[in-house]
């Protein structure tokens, strides 16, 4: 579903922190609501296709509307890292029916599930969502880990996660409901060490670009519905120590490059 409602009007206090003010006409150091929306749009359209941002039923639209109107933090466009991270994490949430997650669903979900950390889509810093800041993020606030395993994610894995360039670990294992192709672009994540999406419903061929993710040490793709064959390009992955692709629908020979 797509969030609804009007943007919260914000003013900036002397410490530079946003504070709610229903009668305010400006926010983010003097921006009007329209100016803030325009600036956020310019940032987000560099991540997602414009047509998806304006498609009423797309998770991209839902995530963008949440960022504009529902996000209690009402982040400012000048905070580029936080804007992009909150958008992409909210996109993951809406793409995988986050309200039905087993833990840490958003505060506005119809049925709140248990959560030992900050909830996804809460007012807290996104580094605290479903974890601790020291575990999830680097010292500069950039995300290093996405870990939402065994949590009933049901939907597709958005390709936009490949815009989180500081990611080192992606763990979405044992959700049983993530489907569709492995997104292209994981090779753009220069620091990525592990990618675990086993025990899901991923389909299609292993993208050739994945073999260019030469920093990967662990690649867990077992128990999905992947087809085609293992490319000889796997020989480029010289750091790879764990490679699990059993219980898929792969064919062909095991390349000697392994």
């Amino acid at each position: 579903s797509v969030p609804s409602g009007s943007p919260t009007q914000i003013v900036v206090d002397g410490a530079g922190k946003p504070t709610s003010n229903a009668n305010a006409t400006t926010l983010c150091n003097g921006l009007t609501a329209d100016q803030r929306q325009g600036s956020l749009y310019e940032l987000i359209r560099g991540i997602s296709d414009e047509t998806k941002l304006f498609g009423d039923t797309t998770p991209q639209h839902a995530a963008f509307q949440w960022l504009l109107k529902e996000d209690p933090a009402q982040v400012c466009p000048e905070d580029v890292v936080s804007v992009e991270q909150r958008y992409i994490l909210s996109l993951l949430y809406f793409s995988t029916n986050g309200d039905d997650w087993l833990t840490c669903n958003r505060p506005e979900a119809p049925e709140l599930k248990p959560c030992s950390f900050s909830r996804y889509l809460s007012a807290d810093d996104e580094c605290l969502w479903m974890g601790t800041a020291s575990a999830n993020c680097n010292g500069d606030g950039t995300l290093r880990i996405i870990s939402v395993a065994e949590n009933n994610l049901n939907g597709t894995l958005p390709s936009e996660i490949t815009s989180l360039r500081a990611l080192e670990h992606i763990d979405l294992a044992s959700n049983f409901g993530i489907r569709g192709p492995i997104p292209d672009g994981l090779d753009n994540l220069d620091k990525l060490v592990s990618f675990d999406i086993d025990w899901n419903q991923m389909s299609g061929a292993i993208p050739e670009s994945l073999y260019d993710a030469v920093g990967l040490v662990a690649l867990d793709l077992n128990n999905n519905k992947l087809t085609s064959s293992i490319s000889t390009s796997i020989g480029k992955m010289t750091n790879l120590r764990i490679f699990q692709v059993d219980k898929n629908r792969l064919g062909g020979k095991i390349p000697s490059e392994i």
Side-chain angles (χ1 to χ4, degrees):
S1 62
V2 178
S4 59
S6 300
T8 303
Q9 295 294 327
I10 304 293
V11 293
V12 178
D13 65 16
K17 297 180 179 179
T19 57
S20 297
N21 184 335
N23 298 316
T25 57
T26 61
L27 49 124
C28 294
N29 294 318
L31 293 181
T32 66
D34 285 345
Q35 288 171 333
R36 175 179 178 271
Q37 177 171 325
S39 296
L40 290 177
Y41 169 70
E42 289 300 319
L43 289 173
I44 301 306
R45 74 169 184 164
I47 299 172
S48 290
D49 186 279
E50 290 180 80
T51 59
K52 293 181 179 180
L53 292 177
F54 293 106
D56 289 346
T57 60
T58 67
Q60 287 82 2
H61 177 80
F64 186 47
Q65 292 302 306
W66 174 82
L67 186 71
L68 287 176
K69 302 176 181 180
E70 299 293 327
D71 182 0
Q74 288 289 285
V75 290
C76 296
E78 63 194 38
D79 191 355
V80 176
V81 169
S82 187
V83 167
E84 293 181 347
Q85 291 181 166
R86 293 178 82 84
Y87 169 72
I88 294 171
L89 290 179
S90 66
L91 176 56
L92 175 64
Y93 185 92
F94 288 115
S95 294
T96 57
N97 291 307
D99 284 353
D100 292 330
W101 287 5
L102 299 179
T103 62
C104 293
N105 54 356
R106 61 176 171 165
E108 296 79 16
E111 180 184 353
L112 283 182
K113 303 297 176 61
C115 190
S116 300
F117 302 100
S118 293
R119 294 184 176 277
Y120 256 64
L121 277 62
S122 68
D124 295 328
D125 189 298
E126 64 276 9
C127 289
L128 298 173
W129 292 355
M130 210 170 174
T132 63
S134 59
N136 287 342
C137 289
N138 297 305
D140 61 0
T142 53
L143 275 169
R144 57 181 294 268
I145 292 177
I146 292 179
S147 181
V148 198
E150 301 180 25
N151 207 31
N152 195 40
L153 275 66
N154 189 350
T156 57
L157 181 60
S159 61
E160 285 87 346
I161 65 167
T162 62
S163 292
L164 296 172
R165 299 297 297 272
L167 279 181
E168 299 173 23
H169 305 278
I170 299 173
D171 184 2
L172 301 171
S174 300
N175 279 295
F176 303 102
I178 303 178
R179 57 188 180 272
I182 297 171
D184 269 320
L186 289 170
D187 56 311
N188 293 325
L189 303 179
D190 299 333
K191 299 181 180 179
L192 191 64
V193 174
S194 66
F195 179 60
D196 189 351
I197 198 164
D198 61 14
W199 291 96
N200 277 287
Q201 303 290 325
M202 304 300 289
S203 58
I206 299 173
E208 190 69 20
S209 61
L210 184 55
Y211 299 108
D212 290 321
V214 294
L216 276 175
V217 174
L219 179 57
D220 288 339
L221 307 175
N222 55 282
N223 294 84
N224 279 284
K225 298 179 179 179
L226 299 171
T227 55
S228 191
S229 59
I230 301 170
S231 171
T232 58
S233 297
I234 195 170
K236 295 186 288 186
M237 304 178 80
T238 55
N239 291 304
L240 199 60
R241 297 293 178 268
I242 299 172
F243 180 55
Q244 298 187 153
V245 290
D246 55 298
K247 295 182 174 61
N248 277 287
R249 298 173 181 176
L250 297 169
K253 296 181 179 180
I254 298 175
S256 60
E257 288 79 1
I258 287 182

